Structures are given as structure tokens and as C-alpha cells.
Amino acid sequence: MKIKGLSRRDRERLRHRGEILEAAMKVFVESGYTSATMESIAAKSEFSLATLYKFFGSKENLFLEILLQMIERLELLTDDILGKEGSVKDRTVKLFKARMDLYWDNPGLIAFIEDVVNHSRTELSCLEDLKRRYLTYVNRLSMFFSEGITRNEFRDIGGKTIAIAYEGILHMYFHSCSKIGKNERDRQDEVNLLSLFMEGAFSANPAKKAEDC
């Protein structure tokens, strides 16, 4: 939301809303979704319980807003990188590094979100819509990797297969970092993972298709 042009009252509301979301993120990461309460979020944010309900209505709505913000950051990041000129290979590497940056900027929050989305035992009505949105994101990657196949930059094994492998490597790495409590970034790990992916997906003869034409 653009701040410029808003009234002082609206700017204040926006600031309060951001402070509540920040507090909610901390409580969710510390306590988990089920144990977190609107009361604990109110205490952390130093706003009244009535104010929280006025802004968000429920704990689920707070969680949904946090999810949407993270998904929108991921989508904007991806569109910015994939929308640029250049080889598919170079953009794949840039996106991989950007996804790692995004994770290490928010390790606890991303681990919490993935745990709730993948293992939630609660009835969260927002999860199915969010899973569909993620599938749309994977389809976006599939189209991108299909472009790489067309250019003969990637092996002809299907854009969706490459997209699933790409996402699988990232998510399993994030999951393992969370489970073992890894709190320091290891860039050599990232280099090795990216190398494994690229060696498996990259075409050994990128000029072949152009020569055939």
C-alpha cells in the first residue's frame, strides 16, 4: 500500500496494523499456530484485544494475512527475475539465490508457515486457496523451464518435472535447516545444491537445437 497521500489517521491505522502483524509473527513462530492466542498476540503487540479483533477479526485472518504477504513477496520476486532478459539458465541461478535470501531473512517464519500448511491438524479454511495459489506458482515455473527446454538450455524432461525438482530441493533444504535448528547460513551448501540441480537439468549441448534448425 502506498503511504504517500494517506491522511494522518490512515497512516496511523496502517502503522498499528503493521505492529500487530509483527507481533503475531513472533507469537506464531514462538508458540505455533494452535497454541497462539489472540490474547498472547495482544500482549505482545501492546494493543487491546478489542483492537486486534477490530483490525483482523480472528486469529485465522491474522495468519492468512501473514501468508499472503509472504506469497506476494515470493511472486513479486519471481516475476521480477523471470521477466528479465537473459538465458533461462542465468535466471534460474538468480532465482535460486534470491529464494535462499528470502529464507534466511525469515527462517523462523517460513519454517512455521510450511509446518502449518503441510501438517496442520486444524481446520483452516484459507489453506486450500493458498495451496492452489502455490500450484499456480509452480505452473509459472513449469512454463519458464519449458522455455529453457525449447531453447535447449535444459534437458527435454518436461518443464513441470524440472519445476518440481527445483522446488523440492529448496523446500527440503529449508525443512532440514528448520529441523536441525540451523541458524547460520552455509553458502557452500547452497552452491552444492544448485550445482546438483543444474547438472541434472542442464542440457549438455545447448547449441544443438539451433544447429538442427
Side-chain angles (χ1 to χ4, degrees), residues 56-95:
F56 293 99
S58 68
K59 182 174 77 169
E60 181 173 343
N61 286 343
L62 263 169
F63 176 64
L64 175 59
E65 182 64 25
I66 291 168
L67 277 172
L68 287 174
Q69 286 189 2
M70 186 56 66
I71 288 174
E72 285 169 3
R73 285 184 66 184
L74 175 60
E75 290 172 340
L76 288 171
L77 174 75
T78 302
D79 288 343
D80 180 58
I81 293 171
L82 301 194
K84 285 182 166 56
E85 296 294 326
S87 71
V88 173
K89 177 185 176 184
D90 287 347
R91 284 177 284 166
T92 298
V93 172
K94 287 178 182 176
L95 181 60

Coordinates of all heavy atoms in Angstrom, one line a residue, residues 56-95:
F56 N -8.5 -7.4 12.5 CA -8.4 -8.6 11.8 C -9.5 -9.6 12.0 O -9.7 -10.5 11.2 CB -7.1 -9.3 12.2 CG -5.8 -8.6 11.7 CD1 -5.2 -7.7 12.5 CD2 -5.4 -8.7 10.4 CE1 -4.0 -7.0 12.1 CE2 -4.3 -8.0 9.9 CZ -3.6 -7.1 10.8
G57 N -10.3 -9.5 13.0 CA -11.5 -10.3 13.2 C -11.2 -11.7 13.8 O -12.1 -12.2 14.6
S58 N -10.1 -12.3 13.6 CA -9.8 -13.6 14.1 C -8.3 -14.0 14.0 O -7.6 -13.3 13.2 CB -10.6 -14.7 13.4 OG -10.1 -14.8 12.0
K59 N -7.9 -15.0 14.7 CA -6.5 -15.5 14.6 C -6.2 -16.0 13.2 O -5.2 -15.8 12.7 CB -6.3 -16.6 15.7 CG -4.9 -17.1 15.7 CD -4.6 -18.1 16.8 CE -5.2 -19.5 16.5 NZ -4.8 -20.5 17.5
E60 N -7.2 -16.7 12.6 CA -7.0 -17.2 11.3 C -6.8 -16.1 10.3 O -6.0 -16.2 9.4 CB -8.2 -18.1 10.8 CG -8.1 -18.7 9.5 CD -9.2 -19.6 9.1 OE1 -9.9 -20.1 9.9 OE2 -9.3 -19.9 7.9
N61 N -7.5 -15.0 10.4 CA -7.3 -13.9 9.5 C -5.9 -13.3 9.6 O -5.3 -12.9 8.6 CB -8.4 -12.8 9.7 CG -9.8 -13.2 9.2 OD1 -9.9 -14.1 8.4 ND2 -10.8 -12.5 9.7
L62 N -5.4 -13.2 10.9 CA -4.1 -12.8 11.1 C -3.1 -13.7 10.4 O -2.1 -13.2 9.7 CB -3.8 -12.7 12.6 CG -3.9 -11.4 13.3 CD1 -3.8 -11.7 14.8 CD2 -2.8 -10.4 12.9
F63 N -3.3 -15.0 10.5 CA -2.4 -16.0 9.9 C -2.5 -15.8 8.4 O -1.5 -15.9 7.7 CB -2.8 -17.4 10.4 CG -2.0 -18.5 9.7 CD1 -0.6 -18.6 9.9 CD2 -2.6 -19.4 8.9 CE1 0.1 -19.6 9.2 CE2 -1.9 -20.4 8.3 CZ -0.6 -20.5 8.5
L64 N -3.7 -15.7 7.9 CA -3.9 -15.6 6.4 C -3.2 -14.3 5.9 O -2.5 -14.4 4.8 CB -5.4 -15.4 6.1 CG -5.8 -15.2 4.6 CD1 -5.3 -16.3 3.8 CD2 -7.3 -15.0 4.5
E65 N -3.2 -13.2 6.6 CA -2.5 -12.0 6.1 C -1.0 -12.2 6.1 O -0.4 -11.8 5.1 CB -2.9 -10.8 7.1 CG -2.3 -9.5 6.7 CD -2.8 -9.0 5.3 OE1 -3.9 -9.4 4.9 OE2 -2.0 -8.2 4.7
I66 N -0.5 -12.9 7.1 CA 1.0 -13.2 7.1 C 1.3 -14.1 5.9 O 2.3 -13.9 5.2 CB 1.4 -13.9 8.4 CG1 1.2 -12.8 9.5 CG2 2.8 -14.4 8.4 CD1 1.3 -13.4 10.9
L67 N 0.5 -15.1 5.6 CA 0.7 -16.0 4.5 C 0.7 -15.2 3.2 O 1.5 -15.4 2.3 CB -0.3 -17.1 4.5 CG -0.1 -18.3 5.3 CD1 -1.4 -19.2 5.3 CD2 1.1 -19.1 4.9
L68 N -0.3 -14.4 3.0 CA -0.5 -13.6 1.8 C 0.7 -12.7 1.6 O 1.2 -12.6 0.4 CB -1.8 -12.8 1.8 CG -3.1 -13.6 1.7 CD1 -4.3 -12.7 1.9 CD2 -3.1 -14.3 0.3
Q69 N 1.2 -12.1 2.6 CA 2.4 -11.2 2.5 C 3.6 -12.0 2.0 O 4.3 -11.5 1.1 CB 2.7 -10.5 3.8 CG 1.7 -9.4 4.1 CD 2.1 -8.6 5.3 OE1 3.2 -8.8 5.9 NE2 1.3 -7.6 5.7
M70 N 3.8 -13.2 2.5 CA 5.0 -14.0 2.1 C 4.8 -14.5 0.7 O 5.8 -14.4 -0.1 CB 5.1 -15.1 3.1 CG 6.4 -15.9 2.9 SD 7.9 -14.9 2.9 CE 8.0 -14.4 4.6
I71 N 3.6 -14.9 0.4 CA 3.4 -15.4 -1.0 C 3.5 -14.3 -2.0 O 4.1 -14.5 -3.1 CB 2.0 -16.1 -1.1 CG1 2.0 -17.4 -0.4 CG2 1.6 -16.3 -2.6 CD1 0.6 -18.1 -0.3
E72 N 3.0 -13.1 -1.7 CA 3.2 -12.0 -2.6 C 4.6 -11.6 -2.8 O 5.1 -11.2 -3.9 CB 2.4 -10.8 -2.1 CG 0.9 -11.0 -2.3 CD 0.0 -10.0 -1.6 OE1 0.6 -9.1 -0.9 OE2 -1.2 -10.1 -1.6
R73 N 5.4 -11.7 -1.7 CA 6.9 -11.4 -1.8 C 7.5 -12.4 -2.8 O 8.3 -12.0 -3.6 CB 7.5 -11.4 -0.5 CG 7.3 -10.2 0.4 CD 8.0 -10.3 1.7 NE 9.5 -10.3 1.5 CZ 10.4 -10.4 2.5 NH1 9.9 -10.6 3.7 NH2 11.7 -10.3 2.3
L74 N 7.1 -13.6 -2.6 CA 7.7 -14.7 -3.5 C 7.3 -14.5 -4.9 O 8.1 -14.6 -5.8 CB 7.2 -16.1 -3.0 CG 7.6 -17.3 -3.8 CD1 9.1 -17.4 -3.9 CD2 7.0 -18.5 -3.3
E75 N 6.0 -14.1 -5.2 CA 5.5 -13.9 -6.5 C 6.2 -12.7 -7.2 O 6.6 -12.8 -8.4 CB 4.0 -13.8 -6.5 CG 3.3 -15.1 -6.2 CD 1.8 -14.8 -6.0 OE1 1.4 -13.7 -5.7 OE2 1.0 -15.8 -6.1
L76 N 6.3 -11.6 -6.4 CA 7.0 -10.4 -7.0 C 8.4 -10.7 -7.3 O 8.9 -10.2 -8.3 CB 6.8 -9.3 -6.0 CG 5.4 -8.7 -5.9 CD1 5.3 -7.7 -4.7 CD2 5.0 -8.0 -7.2
L77 N 9.1 -11.4 -6.4 CA 10.5 -11.7 -6.6 C 10.7 -12.5 -7.8 O 11.6 -12.3 -8.7 CB 11.0 -12.5 -5.4 CG 12.4 -13.1 -5.4 CD1 13.4 -11.9 -5.2 CD2 12.6 -14.1 -4.3
T78 N 9.8 -13.5 -8.0 CA 9.9 -14.4 -9.1 C 9.6 -13.7 -10.4 O 10.3 -13.9 -11.4 CB 9.0 -15.6 -9.0 OG1 9.3 -16.3 -7.8 CG2 9.1 -16.6 -10.1
D79 N 8.5 -12.9 -10.5 CA 8.2 -12.2 -11.7 C 9.3 -11.2 -12.1 O 9.6 -11.1 -13.3 CB 6.9 -11.4 -11.5 CG 5.7 -12.4 -11.4 OD1 5.8 -13.5 -11.9 OD2 4.6 -11.9 -10.9
D80 N 9.9 -10.6 -11.1 CA 11.0 -9.6 -11.4 C 12.2 -10.3 -12.1 O 12.7 -9.8 -13.1 CB 11.4 -8.9 -10.1 CG 12.6 -7.9 -10.4 OD1 12.3 -7.0 -11.2 OD2 13.6 -8.1 -9.8
I81 N 12.5 -11.5 -11.6 CA 13.7 -12.2 -12.1 C 13.4 -12.9 -13.4 O 14.1 -12.8 -14.4 CB 14.3 -13.2 -11.1 CG1 14.8 -12.5 -9.9 CG2 15.3 -14.1 -11.7 CD1 15.2 -13.3 -8.7
L82 N 12.3 -13.6 -13.5 CA 11.9 -14.4 -14.7 C 11.5 -13.5 -15.8 O 11.6 -13.8 -17.0 CB 10.8 -15.4 -14.4 CG 11.1 -16.4 -13.3 CD1 10.1 -17.6 -13.4 CD2 12.6 -17.0 -13.4
G83 N 11.1 -12.2 -15.5 CA 10.6 -11.3 -16.5 C 11.7 -10.6 -17.2 O 11.5 -9.9 -18.2
K84 N 12.9 -10.7 -16.7 CA 14.1 -10.0 -17.3 C 14.6 -10.8 -18.5 O 14.3 -11.9 -18.7 CB 15.2 -9.8 -16.3 CG 14.9 -8.7 -15.2 CD 16.1 -8.6 -14.3 CE 16.0 -7.3 -13.5 NZ 14.8 -7.2 -12.7
E85 N 15.4 -10.1 -19.3 CA 16.1 -10.7 -20.5 C 17.2 -11.5 -20.0 O 17.7 -11.4 -18.9 CB 16.6 -9.6 -21.4 CG 15.5 -8.8 -22.1 CD 14.6 -9.5 -23.0 OE1 15.1 -10.5 -23.6 OE2 13.4 -9.2 -23.0
G86 N 17.6 -12.5 -20.8 CA 18.8 -13.3 -20.5 C 18.5 -14.8 -20.7 O 17.3 -15.2 -20.9
S87 N 19.5 -15.6 -20.5 CA 19.3 -17.0 -20.6 C 18.4 -17.6 -19.5 O 18.4 -17.0 -18.4 CB 20.6 -17.7 -20.6 OG 21.2 -17.7 -19.4
V88 N 17.7 -18.7 -19.8 CA 16.9 -19.3 -18.7 C 17.8 -19.8 -17.6 O 17.5 -19.7 -16.4 CB 16.1 -20.5 -19.3 CG1 15.4 -21.3 -18.2 CG2 15.1 -19.9 -20.3
K89 N 19.0 -20.3 -18.0 CA 20.0 -20.8 -17.0 C 20.4 -19.7 -16.0 O 20.3 -19.9 -14.8 CB 21.2 -21.3 -17.7 CG 22.3 -21.8 -16.7 CD 23.5 -22.2 -17.5 CE 24.7 -22.6 -16.5 NZ 25.9 -22.9 -17.2
D90 N 20.7 -18.5 -16.5 CA 21.1 -17.4 -15.7 C 20.0 -17.0 -14.7 O 20.3 -16.7 -13.6 CB 21.6 -16.2 -16.5 CG 23.0 -16.5 -17.2 OD1 23.7 -17.5 -16.8 OD2 23.4 -15.7 -18.1
R91 N 18.8 -16.9 -15.2 CA 17.7 -16.5 -14.4 C 17.3 -17.6 -13.4 O 16.9 -17.3 -12.3 CB 16.5 -16.2 -15.3 CG 16.6 -14.8 -16.0 CD 15.4 -14.6 -16.9 NE 15.5 -15.3 -18.2 CZ 14.5 -15.5 -19.0 NH1 13.3 -15.0 -18.7 NH2 14.7 -16.2 -20.1
T92 N 17.6 -18.8 -13.7 CA 17.3 -19.9 -12.8 C 18.3 -19.8 -11.6 O 17.9 -19.9 -10.4 CB 17.6 -21.3 -13.4 OG1 16.6 -21.5 -14.5 CG2 17.4 -22.4 -12.5
V93 N 19.5 -19.5 -11.9 CA 20.5 -19.3 -10.8 C 20.2 -18.1 -9.9 O 20.3 -18.2 -8.7 CB 21.9 -19.1 -11.4 CG1 23.0 -18.7 -10.4 CG2 22.4 -20.4 -12.1
K94 N 19.8 -17.0 -10.6 CA 19.4 -15.8 -9.8 C 18.2 -16.0 -8.9 O 18.2 -15.6 -7.8 CB 19.1 -14.6 -10.8 CG 20.3 -14.1 -11.5 CD 20.0 -13.0 -12.4 CE 21.2 -12.4 -13.2 NZ 20.9 -11.4 -14.2
L95 N 17.2 -16.8 -9.4 CA 16.1 -17.1 -8.6 C 16.4 -18.0 -7.4 O 15.9 -17.8 -6.3 CB 15.0 -17.7 -9.5 CG 13.7 -18.1 -8.7 CD1 13.0 -16.8 -8.1 CD2 12.7 -18.8 -9.6

